[in-house]
């Protein structure tokens, strides 16, 4: 991709062409760029010249660290674009229309905030649902216990009365009342 296309791709993914802040970051990029050396000879990085002629990174940080290749940059070349060599890790100036790979960099805080923001977004609603479910079940079971225990006694008392009334009615038939009562007493127990 050209430098401009690379910038657009990085912005669309929430970042910008990479800046290189120090030797440690440069070594990290060189180590990983080397893995892609067979696919591309270099990667666009985010150096540009502002209207005052000052070199800046695309994220507007100062250009405090440089890793220019030998003889780079020469003269007014920095009106052009900068690539990081996949083989050596050194920077060189190329025409911006050259087709290169690119390295995007996302802001440290934005990445953390986005990830934790999605997680934090679900915590309060989840807690509310859990609490409401807990309260709902508690109320349901308390009402069931309260109303269920009274109904159970009434049913048990009603069945005893029914059994007793059957026993009384059977005793009035004129048959052997004593043996019927004994049968009913055994069945009640």
């Amino acid at each position: 991709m050209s430098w401009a296309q690379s910038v657009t791709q990085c912005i669309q993914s929430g970042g910008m062409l990479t800046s290189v802040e120090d030797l440690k970051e440069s070594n990290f990029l060189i180590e990983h760029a080397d893995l892609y050396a067979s696919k591309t000879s270099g990667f666009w990085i985010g150096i540009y010249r502002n209207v005052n002629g000052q070199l800046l990174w695309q994220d507007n940080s100062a250009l405090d660290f440089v890793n220019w290749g030998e003889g780079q940059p020469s003269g007014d070349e920095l009106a052009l674009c900068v690539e990081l060599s996949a083989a050596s890790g050194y920077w060189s100036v190329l025409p911006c229309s050259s087709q290169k790979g690119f390295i995007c960099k996302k802001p440290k805080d934005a990445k953390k905030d986005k990830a934790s923001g999605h997680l934090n977004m679900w915590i309060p609603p989840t807690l509310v649902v859990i609490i409401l479910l807990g309260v709902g079940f508690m109320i349901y079971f308390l009402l069931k216990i309260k109303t269920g225990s009274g109904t159970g006694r009434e049913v048990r008392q009603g069945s005893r009365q029914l059994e007793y009334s059957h026993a009384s009615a059977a005793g009035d038939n004129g048959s052997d009342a004593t043996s019927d009562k004994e049968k009913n007493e055994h069945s009640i127990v």
Side-chain angles (χ1 to χ4, degrees), residues 20-51:
V20 184
E21 298 172 10
D22 54 31
L23 183 61
K24 182 179 175 182
E25 190 171 14
S26 179
N27 288 338
F28 173 83
L29 291 173
I30 292 166
E31 180 181 318
H32 288 86
D34 189 43
L35 299 173
Y36 298 98
S38 64
K39 296 181 181 180
T40 183
S41 62
F43 299 90
W44 293 122
I45 58 176
I47 294 176
Y48 78 101
R49 185 185 298 270
N50 69 8
V51 294

Side-chain angles (χ1 to χ4, degrees), residues 16-20 25 29 44-47 57 103-105:
M16 54 195 63
L17 283 177
T18 192
S19 58
V20 184
E25 190 171 14
L29 291 173
W44 293 122
I45 58 176
I47 294 176
W57 290 108
I103 303 171
C104 295
K105 184 178 190 179

Side-chain angles (χ1 to χ4, degrees), residues 5-178:
Q5 290 170 324
S6 300
V7 168
T8 302
Q9 278 294 118
C10 286
I11 290 171
Q12 287 175 348
S13 69
M16 54 195 63
L17 283 177
T18 192
S19 58
V20 184
E21 298 172 10
D22 54 31
L23 183 61
K24 182 179 175 182
E25 190 171 14
S26 179
N27 288 338
F28 173 83
L29 291 173
I30 292 166
E31 180 181 318
H32 288 86
D34 189 43
L35 299 173
Y36 298 98
S38 64
K39 296 181 181 180
T40 183
S41 62
F43 299 90
W44 293 122
I45 58 176
I47 294 176
Y48 78 101
R49 185 185 298 270
N50 69 8
V51 294
N52 299 329
Q54 183 183 15
L55 294 176
L56 295 173
W57 290 108
Q58 192 184 7
D59 63 5
N60 291 321
S61 59
L63 190 67
D64 294 333
F65 173 82
V66 294
N67 195 23
W68 294 112
E70 192 173 326
Q72 294 286 328
S74 63
D76 196 28
E77 283 186 316
L78 283 176
L80 301 175
C81 298
V82 179
E83 76 153 333
L84 175 130
S85 169
S88 68
Y90 290 115
W91 306 348
S92 57
V93 176
L94 293 176
C96 296
S97 60
S98 299
Q99 299 296 302
K100 298 290 175 183
F102 59 96
I103 303 171
C104 295
K105 184 178 190 179
K106 293 184 179 181
K108 295 175 189 173
D109 296 335
K111 187 176 180 181
K112 288 180 185 175
D113 291 344
K114 186 175 181 181
S116 65
H118 288 301
L119 177 64
N120 290 340
M121 179 179 75
W122 290 103
I123 291 174
T126 303
L127 288 175
V128 168
V129 168
I130 290 170
I131 291 169
L132 289 175
L133 284 172
V135 169
F137 280 123
M138 188 172 62
I139 291 171
Y140 172 77
F141 286 117
L142 286 175
L143 287 175
K144 185 168 176 116
I145 289 170
K146 185 176 181 180
T147 59
S149 63
T151 306
R153 285 185 203 150
E154 292 168 2
V155 169
R156 284 191 298 266
Q157 286 177 348
S159 66
R160 284 184 191 155
Q161 288 175 353
L162 182 63
E163 289 172 10
Y164 181 73
S165 67
H166 283 295
S168 299
D172 292 343
N173 284 341
S175 61
D176 188 8
T178 309

